[in-house]
Amino acid sequence: MALLITLALAVFTVAVDAAEFNFEFAKRIIDHVSSYMRIPLDINTFLSNAYQGGVLFPNDLRALDRDLKLAVDHSLPLPMVYYGLEDGLMLMGTFPRDGESFGYYREPGNSGYEVDDPKMKKYLNACVSDNGDQIECIMAHGASYISCAAEGCDALQPCPDKDSQRNCSVFGFEDERTKCESKRKYCRKYTTKNVPNAEEGTPLGFIPLTTYCHDDRGLFTQDPGEVVKHYGLSNGTGIIPDHGSCYFTDGKTLVQRNLTGDYAYCGRDGEVCSETYSGGFVSGDYDPRYRPWYVASKEQQKPTWSDPYVFYDNLGLGITSTHPIYDYAEGRNVFAGVLAVDYRFEHIGEFLLSAYGDSSTAIAIVEDTEPNYIIGLSTGSPAAKLVLSANNSEPCLITSSQSIPCDPIRIPMSDLATSGNHMDRILAISLGMHKEASYPKDLVTVRETMNIGSGVFLSQSVAYEQPDANLRWRVIVTSPGERSSSDSIELGHPLFGAIITIGAAGILACICLFFVFYRKRTEKIIMYADWRFTSAFILGCSLFNGSTFTLVGPNTDATCLLRMWTFHMCFVLALSPLFVKIWRIKQIIGQSVTFRRKAISNSQATLYCLPLLVVQAVICTIISILDPPRQGEVNKVSEGVITQHIVCQTNTNAHLSPK
């Protein structure tokens, strides 16, 4: 009987280290993301070294290096590589592969000049309207501009970072003071001001940041037929650029600009040229020196990353990697500007989608801090959305016939809890369970509902951190389990026939034995064996054999409880007659060497069986109230397969119950 029960309740899987299974997925993803996130750092390091060495850029990235820098940027594997300098110069070569492609350039100098300043007239007249008409570059009320210190814009002061603010004179040894001084950086002294109301002073002008058309070498141009409009499909050897002509934003006026002046792009000694604004079709007031990406790098004086943000054009996520560059003057490291790369996360999402989109395993990369904004999902769901500017809780439904003020915002992982995508909901629940458990190293069991038997998933969270950056993400790996087919003994199960056959055979054998005892109850040997109690034992055994039939069927709360009661009550029912029979013999014979007569009737002996049954019933009742066997789950991993087992289980092992 014990062997039969053991076979019936065995679980046919072998447990292995489940954490190793999911760590392989997470490790692969982290390695890929790490390699991908190294690209902008490597580009900025390369350009910084080229700047410091003075070999690649002979003019230290000043205006005379504009075309050379555009050509270099065009050869790099990333679009949106740009930089800003302390003199106000800014240059960006933008070469997306999908959509139109433009470049941006700002001449060095300070905005906020008086409009009647003759030296700045060349910039005042450098702005254009939507149809190409020349307009003055007048700053709006409240706009920001850079104002030099009284000593001039070349006056230096220690930069705001910790190393630069340190007082090196406190060090007693010369080598320590020298080391301290080598870490100090010096920044130019200027402040940011705002344009006052028109009635408070004369209008002020700005040096425009101009948007340019470019050719397939990355250089700015307005030559008809030479302008790269956008990049088409690959021909197997590279991306094919589609060429056309450069138009103003009205879409019909050709760009033909030939402003003549002594611009910085023309040369060092006041040389005059007419190519500075050729191909420029949009003008805007933009100075890099008070922009967040520039200010953060200047304040920290080390490579930095911005917080992820949303691109309005396609709701893709991006991030900015910055790297400070320096001039060396009079034995000092002088902060010269900031190299920057705007880096899009589309590749991360594309990798997750291509690698795991068709897999049963779901992956999410989210920010580690609240509210856990999404970085990428293997389900293909977006990480950002458009909402109404007036009400961020309402989606923005843009049509071609209306213009609605909308804002792109990022989506926190918690929003996926109500997603129509099943795996999105599972990922959201997985993150919540990991957070609740303080991100354990072990796997956590996840299900969409608390109903036992619903789909089960195993999930692992692994931290990803970018060295020397304010980037800390979480990789959530969630894999579904398979429902075991060997948990319950039902029709078709290998043990179903054995259970029914052995149980029925046991009952039949007991019944036959009972009839034999009953027919021969008058024989002396049977009478001496007390056929009544022996028959009760045989009938109890038949019921005990019948209790094995409760092992057949699904493992529900009712069947789990029924198995405990029938197994233990039938066991006591079978053995109590034997126990009382032995006890009666002991009472009759006693411990003396002489027999003495003591009468214990059969009815009395039968009553003595009841306490055993009552005690067992009380025990089963207590267990049924305090810790009843219930339907539960056991999840095991074997050979890369997660298996869900629906079994009968209790919270403690204080009472024998089948599991």
Side-chain angles (χ1 to χ4, degrees):
M1 181 61 65
L3 178 60
L4 180 62
I5 295 173
T6 302
L7 289 173
L9 299 175
V11 178
F12 299 101
T13 55
V14 180
V16 297
D17 185 5
E20 183 179 353
F21 170 75
N22 266 324
F23 266 128
E24 283 303 313
F25 285 100
K27 183 178 183 300
R28 206 175 307 150
I29 294 165
I30 287 177
D31 288 345
H32 186 92
V33 172
S34 298
S35 299
Y36 184 67
M37 297 301 292
R38 283 296 313 174
I39 296 176
L41 294 177
D42 292 342
I43 288 177
N44 276 336
T45 301
F46 162 73
L47 293 175
S48 175
N49 292 337
Y51 175 85
Q52 298 294 137
V55 178
L56 185 58
F57 303 112
N59 299 291
D60 297 330
L61 288 177
R62 269 51 180 190
L64 288 176
D65 283 337
R66 187 184 84 172
D67 291 348
L68 177 59
K69 178 62 165 58
L70 288 172
V72 170
D73 289 351
H74 190 63
S75 67
L76 296 174
L78 287 178
M80 303 187 76
V81 179
Y82 55 99
Y83 68 97
L85 299 181
E86 282 286 82
D87 60 6
L89 181 146
M90 182 176 175
L91 180 65
M92 175 190 291
T94 304
F95 309 109
R97 294 183 176 183
D98 187 17
E100 297 180 314
S101 183
F102 310 116
Y104 302 86
Y105 172 67
R106 182 190 189 273
E107 281 270 295
N110 294 334
S111 297
Y113 56 83
E114 295 185 357
V115 294
D116 56 358
D117 185 343
K119 293 183 179 180
M120 305 303 290
K121 203 74 174 178
K122 57 188 175 184
Y123 296 121
L124 181 67
N125 297 323
C127 291
V128 291
S129 65
D130 291 346
N131 61 2
D133 291 339
Q134 180 177 302
I135 58 176
E136 291 185 333
C137 300
I138 302 296
M139 300 188 74
H141 163 62
S144 300
Y145 65 94
I146 297 297
S147 177
C148 296
E151 306 96 304
C153 281
D154 290 331
L156 299 177
Q157 63 183 358
C159 291
D161 65 295
K162 181 179 179 180
D163 287 337
S164 300
Q165 291 293 321
R166 183 174 297 170
N167 182 8
C168 297
S169 62
V170 300
F171 292 100
F173 296 100
E174 181 65 24
D175 57 342
E176 290 180 337
R177 289 195 298 272
T178 301
K179 183 178 180 180
C180 176
E181 285 290 348
S182 68
K183 294 182 178 180
R184 300 188 76 184
K185 287 93 174 179
Y186 292 85
C187 295
R188 290 173 172 81
K189 297 174 66 175
Y190 55 76
T191 59
T192 302
K193 294 184 176 181
N194 297 102
V195 177
N197 293 327
E199 58 269 14
E200 297 179 9
T202 59
L204 301 180
F206 64 87
I207 298 175
L209 175 71
T210 305
T211 305
Y212 290 83
C213 298
H214 68 84
D215 60 20
D216 52 14
R217 297 172 298 166
L219 306 182
F220 299 154
T221 185
Q222 61 189 15
D223 295 340
E226 298 296 322
V227 174
V228 174
K229 302 302 294 182
H230 66 275
Y231 288 91
L233 299 176
S234 173
N235 62 358
T237 59
I239 303 299
I240 306 172
D242 291 336
H243 296 88
S245 298
C246 188
Y247 292 90
F248 288 101
T249 54
D250 63 358
K252 55 186 178 180
T253 305
L254 279 173
V255 176
Q256 292 294 327
R257 301 185 67 190
N258 298 288
L259 290 181
T260 300
D262 59 340
Y263 298 104
Y265 173 71
C266 301
R268 295 179 182 275
D269 301 318
E271 298 179 27
V272 175
C273 65
S274 60
E275 294 84 17
T276 303
Y277 289 98
S278 294
F281 62 93
V282 174
S283 306
D285 183 7
Y286 186 100
D287 190 322
R289 291 171 290 181
Y290 55 78
R291 297 294 171 172
W293 59 271
Y294 192 98
V295 172
S297 186
K298 182 177 180 178
E299 289 178 346
Q300 298 184 47
Q301 291 298 313
K302 64 179 182 180
T304 61
W305 293 85
S306 71
D307 292 329
Y309 50 84
V310 183
F311 289 98
Y312 191 94
D313 56 353
N314 65 350
L315 296 183
L317 291 183
I319 198 169
T320 299
S321 171
T322 60
H323 193 297
I325 53 177
Y326 303 93
D327 292 325
Y328 192 73
E330 300 179 358
R332 294 175 169 180
N333 291 313
V334 179
F335 174 70
V338 177
L339 301 171
V341 177
D342 282 353
Y343 202 34
R344 291 178 179 259
F345 289 164
E346 276 93 338
H347 178 77
I348 295 177
E350 290 171 358
F351 162 71
L352 294 177
L353 185 60
S354 62
Y356 300 99
D358 295 330
S359 169
S360 58
T361 297
I363 313 292
I365 302 177
V366 301
E367 290 186 353
D368 192 48
T369 56
E370 293 284 355
N372 304 111
Y373 285 119
I374 298 169
I375 300 297
L377 297 168
S378 64
T379 61
S381 297
K385 60 183 177 181
L386 276 179
V387 297
L388 296 178
S389 300
N391 185 359
N392 284 356
S393 63
E394 294 293 330
C396 182
L397 304 176
I398 297 179
T399 65
S400 58
S401 61
Q402 59 183 168
S403 178
I404 305 175
C406 298
D407 294 325
I409 65 170
R410 300 180 63 192
I411 299 176
M413 195 65 179
S414 57
D415 283 9
L416 297 188
T418 57
S419 170
N421 187 309
H422 172 65
M423 291 309 300
D424 281 346
R425 298 195 300 271
I426 294 298
L427 286 170
I429 296 171
S430 298
L431 176 63
M433 296 189 68
H434 284 293
K435 288 170 60 178
E436 186 177 344
S438 300
Y439 296 105
K441 293 183 179 181
D442 297 330
L443 294 172
V444 299
T445 303
V446 180
R447 60 169 60 89
E448 187 172 2
T449 68
M450 295 310 295
N451 297 327
I452 295 177
S454 63
V456 66
F457 298 79
L458 290 186
S459 182
Q460 176 71 51
S461 72
V462 182
Y464 164 77
E465 190 167 9
Q466 181 69 41
D468 300 324
N470 55 333
L471 287 181
R472 185 173 173 83
W473 298 344
R474 280 278 166 187
V475 178
I476 305 297
V477 182
T478 303
S479 299
E482 292 185 358
R483 182 70 174 272
S484 173
S485 60
S486 61
D487 298 333
S488 58
I489 302 173
E490 301 182 57
L491 186 62
H493 192 281
L495 292 179
F496 181 83
I499 290 282
I500 299 299
T501 301
I502 296 176
I507 294 174
L508 183 60
C510 289
I511 292 175
C512 291
L513 188 59
F514 168 75
F515 278 112
V516 170
F517 260 73
Y518 184 78
R519 289 182 60 185
K520 296 185 177 184
R521 66 186 182 278
T522 57
E523 295 183 9
K524 186 174 295 187
I525 190 171
I526 300 300
M527 292 179 63
Y528 288 158
D530 198 338
W531 68 271
R532 294 178 181 83
F533 281 90
T534 304
S535 296
F537 167 71
I538 294 172
L539 291 176
C541 287
S542 68
L543 293 176
F544 188 53
N545 277 278
S547 69
T548 60
F549 292 145
T550 63
L551 299 176
V552 176
N555 297 323
T556 64
D557 287 347
T559 56
C560 292
L561 194 62
L562 177 64
R563 289 166 189 168
M564 181 193 73
W565 275 88
T566 56
F567 180 84
H568 295 95
M569 292 303 297
C570 290
F571 181 79
V572 173
L573 188 62
L575 293 184
S576 59
L578 288 183
F579 178 82
V580 172
K581 177 181 177 180
I582 295 172
W583 172 82
R584 186 170 70 166
I585 293 174
K586 179 179 180 300
Q587 292 297 314
I588 293 174
I589 297 176
Q591 300 296 327
S592 64
V593 296
T594 61
F595 289 97
R596 59 190 178 88
R597 192 171 189 83
K598 184 174 182 179
I600 299 179
S601 66
N602 290 330
S603 58
Q604 287 179 313
T606 302
L607 290 176
Y608 291 146
C609 293
L610 293 180
L612 297 175
L613 293 171
V614 170
V615 169
Q616 182 61 62
V618 169
I619 293 174
C620 288
T621 300
I622 294 174
I623 294 297
S624 299
I625 295 174
L626 299 181
D627 186 21
R630 295 183 182 276
Q631 183 190 62
E633 288 185 5
V634 175
N635 299 299
K636 295 187 177 181
V637 178
S638 177
E639 299 180 357
V641 178
I642 306 166
T643 307
Q644 177 192 38
H645 299 273
I646 306 300
V647 298
C648 293
Q649 61 183 13
T650 58
N651 296 326
T652 65
N653 293 321
H655 186 67
L656 177 63
S657 60
K659 290 191 178 182

